[in-house]
Amino acid sequence: MLTSKVIGILGAGNMGEALVAGLVKASIVEPKQIIVSRRTEAALAYLADTYRVQVTKSNTELVSKSDLVVLSVKPQILGGILDQCSLYFHEGQVVISIAAGITTKFIEEKVGKEIPVVRVMPNTPALVGEAISPYCLGRYGTAEQALLASQIFSAVGRTVLVREEYLDAITALSGTGPAYLFYLLEGLIEAGVEMGLPEHLVKALVRQTAFGAAKLVMETTRSPRQLRAQVTSPQGTTHAAMTYLEAHSFLDIFKKAVFKARDRAVELGQAHENGSEGAKKW
Ligand SMILES: NC(=O)c1ccc[n+]([C@@H]2O[C@H](COP(=O)([O-])OP(=O)(O)OC[C@H]3O[C@@H](n4cnc5c(N)ncnc54)[C@H](OP(=O)(O)O)[C@@H]3O)[C@@H](O)[C@H]2O)c1
């Protein structure tokens, strides 16, 4: 399906580059079928050198040339960019957005034609081909476009088709999810060092612990709760840590943080719909 298509990555930063790297590595398309844009010339030169893709500073050129446009800029500037490019979108194109909070309806209205819009929420494990990318279709999307989006994001991990009304919660869950886990690992590293262990040893132990725990979660049928119960013997060391966390309502605080991320995704979407975007960062 993608053999003769040109894929434009508009705003090839962290997520955009991960997508380019995944598409090239998986040989899903030829590098020359990919065109990327951003403002920084040195970054564009790096992308051209590393992946042999086409590069441009012009978003309108990218939109004109692409069959699939992947909008990978920050949500706050997406509206302005769509306004600049609106004359260059054309029939037969598919627009895919990964911007947090921004609805397919908003993009459809900005694009201004009956162009299918797909909204995807990948996460940073895309950098190592292990993202989860839930996606949904806008009002003009068909099963064919769903398959296209799935093919593209399969290059950086797994995909799942969901209802758009779930996407703000999904943004807080899996979109932001890796950051929560990294934060816990930061805490573990700080604790290890404060207990007097050498930093290089602490980092090695924490990295492999994170990898091993993730593998265990993926490869057993047991839930995280069951896995934790398995290593928590009465009056043991894990029990001492868990008792302290529970006494301090750690999970309640953590869940409230996740709800804050969800609320921010909703706010970003609403700010765009009211035309007041731009004030805060994701
Ligand atoms: N990071 C995540 O975990 C994650 C997860 C899911 C979804 N997302 C979504 O992915 C999108 C990108 O996030 P990111 O983390 O990849 O951000 P990022 O690294 O900042 O990438 C955005 C890129 O947009 C470029 N840009 C800025 N202004 C531009 C313009 N006028 N024209 C063309 N390019 C422009 C920037 O490069 P220059 O400064 O060189 O122009 C930058 O490299 C966001 O909408 C975010 O909501 C991110």
Side-chain angles (χ1 to χ4, degrees):
M1 279 183 96
L2 289 166
T3 15
S4 55
K5 307 269 188 215
V6 175
I7 302 176
I9 314 279
L10 194 158
N14 290 313
M15 290 306 298
E17 182 184 348
L19 206 51
V20 171
L23 288 166
V24 170
K25 190 173 166 205
S27 302
I28 287 182
V29 291
E30 296 280 327
K32 62 175 191 270
Q33 285 174 258
I34 301 174
I35 178 165
V36 303
S37 71
R38 57 183 290 172
R39 295 164 307 174
T40 315
E41 274 182 31
L44 286 175
Y46 156 80
L47 291 165
D49 276 358
T50 311
Y51 304 105
R52 305 281 152 207
V53 293
Q54 303 177 60
V55 298
T56 178
K57 282 179 88 172
S58 162
N59 293 325
T60 54
E61 181 194 344
L62 178 140
V63 170
S64 305
K65 286 186 172 172
S66 302
D67 299 300
L68 289 111
V69 180
V70 184
L71 303 168
S72 314
V73 289
K74 293 285 187 195
Q76 291 83 355
I77 63 167
L78 185 58
I81 287 184
L82 288 172
D83 286 338
Q84 286 160 14
C85 295
S86 67
L87 292 177
Y88 299 84
F89 287 106
H90 49 270
E91 301 291 325
Q93 260 179 334
V94 179
V95 175
I96 298 177
S97 165
I98 64 168
I102 311 299
T103 60
T104 54
K105 180 167 171 275
F106 175 82
I107 297 168
E108 282 159 359
E109 282 168 6
K110 288 280 182 191
V111 167
K113 301 176 183 84
E114 292 192 2
I115 289 178
V117 175
V118 184
R119 182 174 162 198
V120 188
M121 181 43 57
N123 59 11
T124 50
L127 293 164
V128 292
E130 293 292 350
I132 178 70
S133 302
Y135 67 98
C136 67
L137 300 174
R139 64 188 286 210
Y140 307 117
T142 64
E144 190 188 342
Q145 280 103 38
L147 190 59
L148 274 178
S150 178
Q151 269 190 309
I152 291 179
F153 284 86
S154 293
V156 291
R158 295 163 194 242
T159 64
V160 56
L161 182 60
V162 297
R163 288 151 66 156
E164 182 157 15
E165 69 205 71
Y166 293 164
L167 268 189
D168 291 326
I170 283 173
T171 300
L173 198 72
S174 55
T176 314
Y180 311 136
L181 299 175
F182 300 148
Y183 191 55
L184 277 184
L185 300 184
E186 272 178 64
L188 260 185
I189 290 172
E190 282 181 24
V193 170
E194 282 173 35
M195 289 188 293
L197 297 173
E199 194 170 339
H200 69 277
L201 175 64
V202 169
K203 286 184 175 164
L205 297 179
V206 169
R207 280 158 69 109
Q208 182 60 29
T209 301
F211 179 76
K215 199 159 189 244
L216 201 52
V217 168
M218 289 303 286
E219 292 185 6
T220 71
T221 51
R222 276 162 280 168
S223 67
R225 185 186 288 268
Q226 287 169 324
L227 290 168
R228 181 168 62 85
Q230 222 177 4
V231 292
T232 310
S233 19
Q235 311 313 320
T237 55
T238 313
H239 183 257
M242 294 306 147
T243 305
Y244 185 84
L245 288 173
E246 276 164 21
H248 290 80
S249 306
F250 179 78
L251 274 193
D252 286 339
I253 293 173
F254 182 63
K255 283 189 282 185
K256 281 182 189 140
V258 178
F259 302 156
K260 288 277 180 202
R262 186 266 325 270
D263 296 347
R264 180 64 186 134
V266 172
E267 192 182 74
L268 275 169
Q270 285 169 350
H272 275 73
E273 263 144 52
N274 306 332
S276 62
E277 76 267 33
K280 299 179 191 168
K281 289 196 184 289
W282 186 50

